[in-house]
Amino acid sequence: MRHGVPAALAALALGLTAALTLTPTAQAGPPPAPAPAAAAAPAQFAHPGVLNSRAQLDFVRTKVQAGEQPWKSAFDAMLASPYGSQSRTPEPRAVVECGSYSNPDNGCSEEREDAIAAYSDALAWYITRDAKYAKKSIELMDAWSAKIKDHTNTNAPLQSGWAGSTWPRAAEIIKHTYTGGWPNQGRFATMLRDVYLPEVINGKPNNNGNWELIMMDAAIGISVHLDDRASYDKAMAIYLGRVPAYFYLASDGAQPTYPPRSTIDTKSELIDYWQGQSTFVDGLAQETCRDFGHTGMAIAATMHVAETSRIQGRDLYPQFKDRFRYALGFHAQYELGAKVPSWLCGGSVTKGIGPATEVGYNALHTRLGVSMDNTRKLTEGRRPAGTENHFEAWETLTHAENPN
C-alpha cells in the first residue's frame, strides 16, 4: 500500500483544485508486493460491534425518543417501510441461486431483504425496548438459519456479501442487548460460519472492486460476531490492499495501484479494468466510469469496514482520510449536477450513488472535522437515507452526526 504520513501530506498539498487536474499516466511495471499485514483483530472483540457500537446506538435511541431530527423521521421511515412490518413472513430457501445482476433471482431478493428486515427490527428493538421487534428479528434469522445450505451461480460470492454483511448487524444487537432469549443463536452462528464465510473470505481479486469490498464487509462482520480472530485478520488484510487499488490519490503515482492478488499487472490491463479511464485524479474510483451505483456500494462497504474496525479498536479513518474524503467529494459533485469534463468517462457518467455517504461523512466531518461541502450537500439533501435493498440501510438513523 502507498499511503501513510507522506501520502497524506502530499494529498493535502494538492488541495481540492488539484483533484481535478489531469495527471500523467505512465508507470513502468507493477509495484512490489506489499509486506504481510500485522494482526488486525483485537485481543477481545467489542459487542455489539458490527457497524454500530453500544454508544452509537444509545446516541440514536436518545435522539429518537426526544423526537429530534433527522433521527426521528429516519426511524419513522424505517418502521413504515416493508422492512419494519410486523406481518412480514420470511421466505428462506435451502439453495439461493443468483446469476449476474441477480438473473436468475431464485431467493436472492428474499434473502437480502429478510436480512435487512432482521436488522431493521433489531434497531427498532434497541430504540424502543419493545420485545416484539426483537422477537421478529429472531424469527427472520431463525427461519434462514434453519434452511439455507448454499449459494450457487455466478453471483454467489457477491450475494453472500450483501446478505452476509447485514445478518451480523442484526445478530450483534439481538445477542448482546436482548435478554428475552434466543435459543437458536448457535445455529445462526453456524450458518454464518458454514454458509456465508467460505463464500466471502478469499475475495475475488479479478472482479470489479465493489465485489471484494462488499465481501470483506461481510467477512469482517461475521468474524466479529463469531469472535474469529484469524478470519478477521485475513479479511482485513484483503481490505487494506483493495482500498488503495479502488480509490485513487495522486500520491499513488502516475496510475492506480494494481489490485493485489489479481492477474492485472500491465498498464493496458489496468486502464481496461478502470473502465477505459486513462486520466487519474484524486477521488476517482475503479468503477466511476461504469456507474455510480456500483461505486456507491463500494463506498458504503469501505466505510462499513472502517466503522467496524474503529469499534474494534483500530481507527482507519486517519490513515485513509484523504483517500476517503476525495472519493466522497469527487462523486458527490457530479451526483449534484456538476458538468462532467470530457476527459472523465468520455464526458458522461451514470449517476445513482444511493444512500452511500452518511457513514463516511459522519466519520470525516463530525468526528475528524474535515470540511466536505459537496458531500455535505448531497448527504443532508437526501436525508433520511433509506435502503438500496441490498446491504445499505438506515444510515441517517444510525450515523448522522453521531459523535461516538
Side-chain angles (χ1 to χ4, degrees):
M1 293 177 296
R2 303 177 180 180
H3 49 67
V5 174
L9 292 174
L12 284 169
L14 287 170
L16 291 175
T17 302
L20 294 179
T21 301
L22 277 65
T23 59
T25 58
Q27 176 171 305
Q44 184 173 351
F45 286 103
H47 300 288
V50 177
L51 187 59
N52 306 292
S53 68
R54 191 180 296 269
Q56 288 172 316
L57 292 167
D58 286 341
F59 172 85
V60 175
R61 184 169 188 257
T62 298
K63 292 296 186 180
V64 172
Q65 289 186 330
E68 294 188 38
Q69 300 297 353
W71 304 276
K72 182 62 166 61
S73 61
F75 178 71
D76 290 344
M78 182 182 76
L79 288 189
S81 76
Y83 299 109
S85 172
Q86 295 304 287
S87 62
R88 185 181 187 88
T89 301
E91 299 182 64
R93 295 194 183 206
V95 177
V96 174
E97 182 189 9
C98 309
S100 181
Y101 290 90
S102 297
N103 181 24
D105 181 345
N106 294 322
C108 316
S109 297
E110 291 86 352
E111 180 185 32
R112 295 193 312 266
E113 292 173 12
D114 279 347
I116 292 172
Y119 176 51
S120 304
D121 284 310
L123 288 171
W125 144 252
Y126 197 92
I127 291 166
T128 67
R129 293 300 197 270
D130 188 333
K132 73 180 182 184
Y133 293 114
K135 292 175 181 176
K136 191 66 180 182
S137 183
I138 290 170
E139 176 192 339
L140 291 157
M141 290 189 283
D142 281 355
W144 279 89
S145 70
K147 193 158 189 177
I148 189 167
K149 301 298 181 186
D150 199 12
H151 295 87
T152 63
N153 214 321
T154 55
N155 254 33
L158 182 58
Q159 174 72 18
S160 300
W162 283 326
S165 67
T166 311
W167 288 125
R169 297 177 212 158
E172 278 288 287
I173 295 171
I174 296 300
K175 179 182 179 181
H176 296 286
T177 71
Y178 177 61
T179 58
W182 182 9
N184 294 314
Q185 193 280 324
R187 187 180 74 198
F188 182 85
T190 298
M191 175 192 78
L192 293 181
R193 181 181 296 108
D194 294 348
V195 179
Y196 291 89
L197 190 57
E199 284 281 0
V200 299
I201 191 61
N202 294 313
K204 295 289 284 186
N206 284 310
N207 287 46
N208 281 306
N210 83 87
W211 279 57
E212 204 155 80
L213 291 166
I214 291 165
M215 291 163 71
M216 292 313 105
D217 186 3
I220 289 288
I222 290 169
S223 297
V224 169
H225 190 65
L226 299 179
D227 293 302
D228 183 343
R229 299 182 75 251
S231 293
Y232 188 97
D233 287 348
K234 182 175 183 177
M236 186 59 73
I238 293 173
Y239 170 86
L240 292 174
R242 174 59 66 171
V243 169
Y246 192 87
F247 303 104
Y248 176 77
L249 275 182
S251 55
D252 296 333
Q255 67 181 42
T257 301
Y258 290 98
R261 306 165 13 261
S262 77
T263 60
I264 300 163
D265 59 5
T266 68
K267 180 182 176 183
S268 62
E269 289 175 340
L270 190 73
I271 289 172
D272 184 61
Y273 185 60
W274 281 64
Q275 324 300 321
Q277 179 69 18
S278 59
T279 299
F280 303 104
V281 298
D282 287 324
L284 186 77
Q286 182 253 315
E287 293 179 277
T288 299
C289 295
R290 181 187 183 190
D291 58 61
F292 279 21
H294 288 92
T295 304
M297 285 186 175
I299 289 172
T302 298
M303 302 309 165
H304 293 168
V305 173
E307 200 72 2
T308 296
S309 180
R310 182 176 181 270
I311 294 166
Q312 299 306 326
R314 181 184 182 185
D315 190 351
L316 298 173
Y317 288 112
Q319 173 181 343
F320 286 132
K321 178 178 68 173
D322 295 304
R323 201 173 296 274
F324 287 172
R325 72 183 181 102
Y326 279 121
L328 286 163
F330 182 82
H331 294 89
Q333 66 182 319
Y334 298 117
E335 189 77 9
L336 288 166
K339 180 178 174 54
V340 181
S342 60
W343 57 262
L344 176 63
C345 311
S348 176
V349 296
T350 302
K351 296 191 290 186
I353 201 168
T357 62
E358 196 80 73
V359 174
Y361 176 67
N362 180 65
L364 297 174
H365 177 73
T366 305
R367 294 200 298 245
L368 295 183
V370 177
S371 178
M372 306 171 70
D373 195 49
N374 284 326
T375 308
R376 177 190 61 77
K377 289 176 182 176
L378 180 64
T379 304
E380 293 181 355
R382 295 186 174 182
R383 285 177 175 168
T387 175
E388 35 66 279
N389 306 313
H390 288 77
F391 77 120
E392 303 166 48
W394 323 123
E395 293 175 7
T396 294
L397 175 65
T398 57
H399 286 81
E401 300 173 37
N402 197 322
N404 297 293

